[in-house]
Amino acid sequence: MKPTRRVVGLGLGAALVAGALAGPAAAGGGADSEVTLKLGDGIKTPPAHGRVISDRPECVAGRVVKLVMVAPGNGIIDFADRKTNAKGKWVFTSQLQGATAVRAEVKRRKVGEITCKADSSPVKEF
């Protein structure tokens, strides 16, 4: 069972942030996908990295992972995206300057007859 998502109150941009961090809706009938998000120190480990996990290999490799970054008073400050490698791993190497909270998301994707469902990670605060 996935942890409950929570939205961080960030002052003036709270309404915008709440909508941005709500996460995409999963499509019905298809292969489940899960995106994970881990935060590193930016020196020994990348600032943000994770994996896309699925029982179907078609739903792991080459998936676009979008990183949503939020700062207090500014709402969303950046979107970044990376593709997963053959094992579903992705890495964001740039510093998350000014961000106080981030979330990773992967959109729904159709590969042949397989529909890979969308998912978003829990919000992580710094």
Side-chain angles (χ1 to χ4, degrees):
M1 184 164 227
K2 292 173 90 173
T4 303
R5 292 186 184 117
R6 63 186 172 127
V7 176
V8 182
L10 297 176
L12 299 175
L16 176 64
V17 172
L21 297 179
D32 287 334
S33 298
E34 181 181 351
V35 64
T36 65
L37 169 64
K38 295 181 181 179
L39 299 179
D41 62 13
I43 299 167
K44 292 182 180 180
T45 56
H49 57 284
R51 291 185 74 174
V52 172
I53 303 164
S54 178
D55 290 338
R56 301 298 303 241
E58 303 95 323
C59 295
V60 173
R63 294 290 293 273
V64 175
V65 176
K66 183 167 71 171
L67 197 65
V68 180
M69 295 172 266
V70 180
N74 295 328
I76 299 170
I77 58 170
D78 201 4
F79 291 101
D81 59 19
R82 298 289 183 264
K83 282 194 174 183
T84 60
N85 68 12
K87 294 182 180 182
K89 293 182 180 182
W90 61 272
V91 176
F92 183 76
T93 56
S94 298
Q95 294 297 323
L96 307 175
Q97 296 178 7
T100 58
V102 294
R103 180 189 55 146
E105 63 182 44
V106 64
K107 291 186 177 184
R108 182 177 81 102
R109 178 174 103 171
K110 189 161 176 80
V111 181
E113 296 298 315
I114 309 286
T115 299
C116 307
K117 291 184 180 180
D119 189 49
S120 61
S121 71
V123 174
K124 299 266 182 150
E125 296 178 51
F126 299 102

